[in-house]
C-alpha cells in the first residue's frame, strides 16, 4: 500500500501561520519531486509549490511567493509547507503529491494524498 498523508491543517486568523506536513508510507519516494496543490470550493485545483527531491530547486505560484516555503526531509520521507501571512483567499483543501515529471503540471503527478483543510478567517 502506497500512501501520502497530509496533516497540520486547521483554522487560523488572517496574518497567522500554519505548517503542513506530508508523510509517505508503503514506499520511498526517493527521486520524486514533491508538490502541493490546493482547491477552494467551486474552483479548479491549482498549483501552489513544488520541490525537487535532491536538487534543491523550488517552484512557487505567484500568489504565494514570499509567504509560503516548501522544504523536505528525505530521511523521514516527508515534505513540509510553511505558510505565513495567511489570507482568507488561501482557504482551501491542500493536497500533496509526488511526480517524476514536470513539477507544475498536476496531470504528471503519480500519487496524491487525500488533503487537509486550511481555513483562514478574516
Amino acid at each position: 500500500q502506497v500512501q501520502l498523508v497530509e496533516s497540520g491543517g486547521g483554522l487560523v486568523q488572517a496574518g497567522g501561520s500554519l505548517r503542513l506536513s506530508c508523510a509517505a508510507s508503503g514506499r520511498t519516494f526517493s527521486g520524486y519531486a514533491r508538490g502541493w496543490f490546493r482547491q477552494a470550493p467551486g474552483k479548479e485545483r491549482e498549483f501552489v509549490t513544488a520541490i525537487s527531491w535532491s536538487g534543491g530547486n523550488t517552484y512557487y505560484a505567484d500568489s504565494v511567493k514570499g509567504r509560503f516555503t516548501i522544504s523536505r526531509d528525505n530521511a523521514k520521507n516527508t515534505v513540509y509547507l510553511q505558510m505565513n501571512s495567511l489570507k482568507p483567499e488561501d482557504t482551501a483543501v491542500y493536497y500533496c503529491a509526488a511526480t517524476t515529471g514536470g513539477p507544475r503540471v498536476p496531470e504528471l503527478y503519480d500519487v496524491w494524498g487525500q488533503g487537509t483543510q486550511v481555513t483562514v478567517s478574516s
Side-chain angles (χ1 to χ4, degrees):
Q1 186 177 40
V2 178
Q3 292 183 324
L4 295 175
V5 180
E6 303 93 337
S7 62
L11 174 64
V12 298
Q13 293 185 333
S17 298
L18 283 174
R19 189 179 76 156
L20 306 184
S21 299
C22 180
S25 62
R27 61 164 288 180
T28 179
F29 283 89
S30 178
Y32 283 70
R34 301 286 293 274
W36 289 93
F37 294 77
R38 67 187 183 187
Q39 188 167 24
K43 297 184 178 180
E44 296 289 329
R45 187 171 299 187
E46 66 174 339
F47 169 79
V48 177
T49 182
I51 186 168
S52 60
W53 192 251
S54 299
N57 297 316
T58 58
Y59 312 86
Y60 293 93
D62 289 343
S63 59
V64 305
K65 286 180 180 177
R67 300 188 299 120
F68 290 11
T69 303
I70 189 170
S71 61
R72 65 189 185 274
D73 184 340
N74 288 345
K76 296 182 178 180
N77 212 8
T78 300
V79 172
Y80 304 95
L81 179 61
Q82 179 67 45
M83 304 185 294
N84 298 327
S85 302
L86 282 162
K87 305 175 180 179
E89 304 95 282
D90 297 317
T91 295
V93 176
Y94 283 70
Y95 299 89
C96 70
T99 183
T100 57
R104 296 179 181 270
V105 182
E107 290 80 5
L108 297 180
Y109 280 75
D110 303 295
V111 184
W112 292 81
Q114 297 197 36
T116 186
Q117 177 71 48
V118 172
T119 303
V120 184
S121 62
S122 59

